[in-house]
Amino acid sequence: MYAILDIETTGGKYNEEGITEIAIYKFDGHKVVDKFISLVNPERDIQPFVVNLTGINSNMLKTAPKFYEVAKRIVEITEDCIIVAHNSEFDYRILRTEFKRLGYGFKRETLCTVELSKQLIPDQPSYSLGKLTRSLGIPVSDRHRANGDAMATVKLFKILLTKDLDKYIIKNNIKKAVAERRLNPNHKTIIDALPAVTGVYYIHDADGKIIYIGKSKNIKHRINQHLTDKSRKSKKIQLQVASVTYETTGSELVALLKESEEIKRNKPIHNRALRRNIFTHALYSYQDTSGYTILYIDIANGEKRPIITFTNRQSAKSFMFKIVEDYNLCQKLTGLYPTKHSCFNYTIKQCAGACIEEEPASSYNKRVQQLIEKYSYDNKDMLIIDKGRDIDERSVIYIQNGIFQGLGFFDLNYQITNIEVLQSIITPMENNRDTQHIIQSYLRRNKHVKTISL
């Protein structure tokens, strides 16, 4: 659990500042579950430059509660939380100073979104909250006021959690949480705490180490299967599991891509089988001596560049039958009807005669090319738009010159129409044969998914 906060102060000498406004959002890693926002009477003068910057003046604070009057609420909302702030060293120091004046030893773990941003969003011209949120397309209202800046930090932190493919944030958070608990939670408690949402889940041991990564359209149901199944692997997981965290994606495609990337990065002990290639066969093409484009299925390998990949031979063959019908292709030239003469479809007038060179190669090849362009994204600049994590959000998969660049989330159109903002919100990911297979397979199965050519 995180307490994401921002504090406005009077300014002045080091450790003599007072709080004028505080905003705290309690965040469970997915949504805000509680909040506290208040002006605070600092009982001291506000520096003129601070008044100009924040708009908060002494008249506004005459009737505001003093710090001792809000201290209990601050302790309650931050209890068992990691404090997150943009330059957390400053905000945490101010809070501890105020509590020290009351004779109370306030102590919490902290995370700094400035440091995390430098690590996860490198090469930004500035890491100030205003400039960073602008480059990421995060809307900010009430800049230099506690509530506006705290909410902007919440949105920034959500992006950082998404970009944290090595799971540094959650692994450290889980390790701390389990250490405090000192008891392995029972399986029912773990399952009850999980939602029935689409996303990626992470099974941790008592040290916070990720021992298994998976994706599901219903995380609660899938974890229930892991913790009740009698298979050898499930029994091993059941013995080691201490906690489960998850990341909502909304989109199954995003979940598939994140699962593939994060398994390769984290190498969980129980994901060994999934580290192998997830496809076995592929569709290839060549031109015969008469100039016709021949399509054929073969075992996938790294030597030839495939048009499309498949998880097994049967799914490849089913796809071939479908495209022969959809594009009026020849059974002989697609390997479905081995013969030295005309194919069967020619005898029932469903083939234009490419098999016996009645149909010109240029005419036949045009339809084959249409098929290739539909199912392959070679050399294309495009965006794939899918569901987001909530109703106002969408996910985006970015492909540049036929190469998968990464993925992200957006809620405003200009975040994807402005290429600089788009590149900032995208979490870079590796382009490999697995990601190509995942994307192509998903687009084949989900015709409703929106694509935008750039």
Side-chain angles (χ1 to χ4, degrees):
M1 198 71 77
Y2 308 94
I4 302 176
L5 58 81
D6 186 78
I7 290 170
E8 302 300 333
T9 71
T10 57
K13 290 182 181 178
Y14 185 83
N15 275 358
E16 291 184 10
E17 310 100 318
I19 294 176
T20 58
E21 188 177 34
I22 186 167
I24 305 173
Y25 286 91
K26 192 170 186 175
F27 182 67
D28 66 1
H30 310 281
K31 62 184 182 300
V32 173
V33 296
D34 194 5
K35 64 180 179 180
F36 173 66
I37 303 160
S38 180
L39 289 168
V40 179
N41 185 338
E43 302 182 90
R44 65 196 69 212
D45 292 334
I46 306 173
Q47 298 294 311
F49 81 91
V50 176
V51 175
N52 292 332
L53 182 67
T54 65
I56 300 172
N57 58 53
S58 298
N59 288 333
M60 292 168 61
L61 304 178
K62 282 180 181 176
T63 57
K66 297 178 174 64
F67 184 79
Y68 74 85
E69 295 175 283
V70 298
K72 183 183 177 185
R73 177 69 174 125
I74 293 169
V75 170
E76 289 172 347
I77 198 170
T78 61
E79 193 167 12
D80 297 325
C81 289
I82 295 174
I83 285 179
V84 179
H86 205 68
N87 189 9
S88 60
E89 185 180 347
F90 170 79
D91 295 82
Y92 185 53
R93 176 180 68 79
I94 296 295
L95 268 180
R96 294 197 71 189
T97 299
E98 288 281 17
F99 276 108
K100 191 175 180 182
R101 289 170 187 154
L102 300 178
Y104 179 83
F106 182 80
K107 191 173 182 182
R108 300 287 186 267
E109 298 289 323
T110 63
L111 271 175
C112 178
T113 52
V114 176
E115 296 306 316
L116 287 173
S117 297
K118 287 178 179 177
Q119 179 184 337
L120 299 170
I121 317 174
D123 304 320
Q124 291 292 308
S126 170
Y127 289 90
S128 72
L129 186 61
K131 289 179 180 176
L132 187 58
T133 52
R134 196 177 305 122
S135 72
L136 295 172
I138 298 172
V140 183
S141 58
D142 284 339
R143 183 76 180 95
H144 297 301
R145 290 293 299 268
N147 186 36
D149 287 358
M151 180 46 71
T153 307
V154 170
K155 293 174 181 176
L156 172 61
F157 191 59
K158 285 179 79 172
I159 290 175
L160 294 172
L161 284 171
T162 302
K163 286 180 174 285
D164 183 21
L165 297 173
D166 293 321
K167 297 301 157 195
Y168 164 82
I169 298 172
I170 63 167
K171 280 194 279 195
N172 282 275
N173 188 19
I174 286 301
K175 190 169 182 179
K176 174 181 177 292
V178 172
E180 286 175 350
R181 201 163 41 230
R182 290 194 180 136
L183 287 171
N184 276 350
N186 63 55
H187 295 168
K188 186 176 183 305
T189 304
I190 291 175
I191 294 164
D192 287 347
L194 296 170
V197 296
T198 299
V200 182
Y201 58 87
Y202 312 90
I203 300 178
H204 303 258
D205 64 13
D207 294 321
K209 185 179 179 181
I210 297 172
I211 59 172
Y212 187 82
I213 296 175
K215 77 90 200 167
S216 179
K217 292 166 82 171
N218 184 331
I219 289 175
K220 180 188 279 287
H221 178 67
R222 187 71 187 98
I223 294 298
N224 185 58
Q225 288 178 323
H226 280 302
L227 299 184
T228 56
D229 193 61
K230 301 301 180 188
S231 71
R232 224 169 128 193
K233 184 175 80 174
S234 291
K235 285 181 177 178
K236 287 181 180 178
I237 289 173
Q238 289 160 22
L239 287 171
Q240 292 179 271
V241 59
S243 59
V244 177
T245 58
Y246 65 94
E247 188 172 331
T248 305
T249 62
S251 162
E252 186 186 5
L253 175 56
V254 172
L256 284 162
L257 291 167
K258 286 183 72 65
E259 177 197 37
S260 175
E261 175 90 4
E262 290 170 0
I263 286 171
K264 289 179 176 68
R265 281 176 176 256
N266 291 279
K267 297 180 174 58
I269 188 170
H270 296 302
N271 278 111
R272 282 177 182 148
L274 289 179
R275 288 181 220 158
R276 298 194 296 267
N277 281 339
I278 57 178
F279 57 89
T280 61
H281 290 75
L283 176 65
Y284 299 101
S285 70
Y286 70 91
Q287 278 207 338
D288 69 7
T289 54
S290 300
Y292 290 89
T293 301
I294 307 297
L295 296 175
Y296 68 102
I297 298 295
D298 200 356
I299 293 171
N301 61 56
E303 296 173 11
K304 297 179 287 187
R305 189 175 182 86
I307 298 167
I308 316 170
T309 50
F310 305 92
T311 50
N312 54 58
R313 179 174 282 279
Q314 186 53 49
S315 65
K317 202 166 181 180
S318 298
F319 177 76
M320 290 294 270
F321 279 111
K322 183 178 183 302
I323 61 169
V324 163
E325 184 178 340
D326 289 349
Y327 289 87
N328 193 23
L329 301 182
C330 175
Q331 291 173 309
K332 178 181 174 182
L333 302 190
T334 53
L336 297 178
Y337 194 85
T339 178
K340 292 182 180 179
H341 307 291
S342 63
C343 69
F344 174 76
N345 276 357
Y346 178 76
T347 64
I348 59 172
K349 297 187 172 16
Q350 289 183 6
C351 171
C355 42
I356 53 173
E357 299 185 12
E358 266 189 25
E359 180 184 14
S362 58
S363 171
Y364 181 79
N365 292 349
K366 189 175 181 182
R367 296 198 302 281
V368 176
Q369 190 57 38
Q370 287 172 349
L371 154 75
I372 292 171
E373 285 179 3
K374 178 173 181 181
Y375 288 102
S376 169
Y377 53 79
D378 265 6
N379 305 314
K380 289 183 182 176
D381 291 334
M382 62 185 283
L383 304 177
I384 301 169
I385 309 298
D386 205 1
K387 295 175 187 172
R389 295 166 294 191
D390 56 56
I391 196 165
D392 296 322
E393 185 181 67
R394 293 289 179 270
S395 58
V396 56
I397 285 81
Y398 180 32
I399 293 165
Q400 186 180 47
N401 196 27
I403 296 171
F404 168 61
Q405 299 293 330
L407 56 85
F409 297 93
F410 69 98
D411 48 21
L412 296 169
N413 275 336
Y414 89 86
Q415 289 176 290
I416 60 168
T417 55
N418 182 313
I419 196 69
E420 288 184 1
V421 174
L422 171 66
Q423 289 171 342
S424 294
I425 65 171
I426 289 293
T427 300
M429 289 189 179
E430 184 184 347
N431 176 67
N432 53 46
R433 295 197 300 161
D434 287 346
T435 58
Q436 290 166 8
H437 171 76
I438 289 167
I439 293 168
Q440 288 175 335
S441 297
Y442 189 81
L443 292 177
R444 281 204 309 272
R445 289 184 285 110
N446 297 273
K447 308 247 181 320
H448 65 280
V449 175
K450 182 179 179 182
T451 59
I452 298 173
S453 296
L454 298 177

